[in-house]
Amino acid sequence: MSTTEKLVMDHPMDSLLDLVSEAQVGQGVSRIDGPLKVSGQATYTAEYPMDGLLYGYLVSATIGKGKIKTIHDKTALVVHGVVAVITDFKRFLRNPQQGGVNLAPIQGVKEIAYFGQPIALVVAESYEAARAGAAALKVDYERADDGAFDLIKELKNRKPIDWITDKSEISGDPEESLLTADIKVDRVYITPSQNSAAMELHASVAYWEGHDLIIYSSLQMVASCRASLAHALGLNPKHVRLISRFVGGGFGSKLGISSESVAAAIAAKQLKRPVKVVMTRPQVFESTVRRSNTRQRIGLGADANGKIHTIIHNSIVTNLSGELFFEPTALATHFLYQGKNREVKYEMVRMNQVLAGSMRAPGEAVGLLALECAIDELAELVKIDPIELRKLNEPERDPSKDIPFSSRHLIEALETGANHFGWKMRSSIPANRREGQWLIGMGVASAARSNSLKPSEARVTLTPEIKVIVETDMTDIGTGTYTVLAQITADLLGVPLSVIEVRLGDSDFPPSAGSGGSWGASSSGSSVYLACKKIREQLAAQSNIPIEELDLKDGHISSLNGSKSLKELVTKDIVGIGKIDAGKTSKKYTQASFGAHFAEVAVNAVTGEIRVKRMLGIFTAGRILNEKTARSQCYGGMVFGLGAALMENLQHDSRDGRITNHNLAEYHIPTNADVPDIEVILLPETDRLTNPLHAKGIGELGIAGAGAAIANAVYNATGIRVYDYPITLDKLLDRLPSL
Ligand code: MOS
């Protein structure tokens, strides 16, 4: 028997999780997929064994703009082992827009829009032969001489972004009030392009059974990627089965499909054999997706006491022509601080550079690198502590929309952090603390990341053997989804984790919203919650127990009339299906997770070398579903923030847009020696307006603001503000205070 529970979040609601004694939810349960992973038994996309497997190697354009004249297939086909050169200019010429299911397919043109754009797939009996064939393939191009490669030159061609209007804002008279403000900050912050640099390379293995495509691919969102793939291939989605059981990180770069999946599918169809395509690291950099570089103007106007009345956050971002995505830098600026004169505007510069799209906390991650440093500068001008300034400007309601927050504990996070970190040790005078050659400084920044709930579905089956099977196409991209969904199930059905099997990442399972935008755990978790609720109701009905009296624990069902084991009660499969969607509470309340970042840095007074000594993050994200995996997400986000502040810089050659540091040797991300002691404190919070779990997103909260705390600490250490990220020692060297 199967019954379905559908919930649209229109009202605040209680959570059954609050009734569970000795709950699994909230505990720091170790990953249930951990043993599989550490013993090498968790199969990642590129590892699926297949009979008769062929290997594909993508060929990338070596011009930045122009046309393909001829591809000389023979030059690759003569290489021993090469079986085909696949070119399908309709299907995988350009990276499809992330999740752009409803867009017209990129049409049959041979145009090159960026250096590194995939133009062909060489398929061979071995990877080595495919790679040799790709290297040998001769391509004639017609180079265009009007490529947009130099951002500074192209700035004059920027256009207002008017195709998405709900991300812009204007109220009061911001320019005038900034001009006449007692105290003001008006700065431009520059952030470079970045790459997600997930550990697992983008990969796909495709084969066909008649008209049906079966494809293993490393992706974050199965349902929407399946639709994108079907769309790119001209298929009905029901003819595509997409499997992503384990994903070695995505951070946004796998929200949508990339060219290797489409190419593998076309090749497998044409050659009637399974085809595997794994990108190389340079191809991930050059041919998938980047975070846009930005130029952000922040204008803050305040009265003499530091009460902010004006906030301007205007951004220039970049992308390929025709793409709708833009980096929404000001997402948190709308609601972080009060002030009646407000402006948020975006302009786009079209560049012949690899697609720009989502990377961990698209918007806040780089937006707070600007806003939170401007706040620090304002505090200094007002001559008050930066935490005091934030407290002074804490809004009671969302100041842009004039609606309440569902929950907000920013001040508590700042205060808890200040105590724990020893904030009073910070000198309010910059460059005032020294340990030998090292200048020591402390910085603080707010953290904020919007929370959302997305349509998600799950199926839970309780079998007579008292096994529980949880199925949804949700992914676990390293975040802990397998474990969290098992914990929710264990609590609601009163069974141990050991009898629960969570099956994810397969389009044969009910469609979820996938892993993205920090909505993964709460959206998929809510659908599992609802499915379990249905099973509880069936169990209650079967045993004539009023649902309010139902108590499920240790594999037993009990009520006032006594207790019975589930084994006695369940004689055939009981199936519950849960479906969740956002509703009125998402419109009537501004929902976000909040927190505070603290950093202490040491800057060498001779060399300018920056070492982060300590980081502390205090976070409030509703109910914490798993103390260990949530904490891990925060660590990861904070390391990302450290990288954004001090290291990451995807460089485009100004002659052809080529990414010059397309590898992990030259694209610098923090490694062990760069990462100090990081401490994370998760403050208790519940939120009855977000979802039945009362949880909020946490995956991206850790990065939002982290880099700004470091930048502010560098200022506090040296007296130097750097407005052009990353803050590398060359930008400090000639301005360091004398010894
Ligand atoms: Mo996220 S950047 O939505 O994976």
Side-chain angles (χ1 to χ4, degrees), residues 190-198 251 285 291 359-360 366 369 636-651 661 664 666-670 703 724-728 731:
I190 295 173
T191 66
S193 295
Q194 298 171 337
N195 184 284
S196 288
F251 311 112
F285 277 99
R291 189 204 293 281
M359 177 167 145
R360 200 172 198 167
V366 287
L369 285 174
M638 289 166 77
V639 173
F640 250 76
L642 195 166
L646 302 180
M647 292 168 197
E648 294 192 46
N649 186 2
L650 194 67
Q651 296 186 333
N661 53 348
L664 292 175
E666 290 170 273
Y667 181 78
H668 294 164
I669 56 172
I703 185 175
D724 178 9
Y725 288 97
I727 306 172
T728 45
K731 295 171 187 172

Side-chain angles (χ1 to χ4, degrees), residues 220 250-252 255 358-362 449 477 515-519 700:
Q220 295 174 224
F251 311 112
L255 282 173
S358 292
M359 177 167 145
R360 200 172 198 167
R449 171 66 181 162
I477 59 173
S515 302
S518 296
W519 63 62
E700 294 163 312

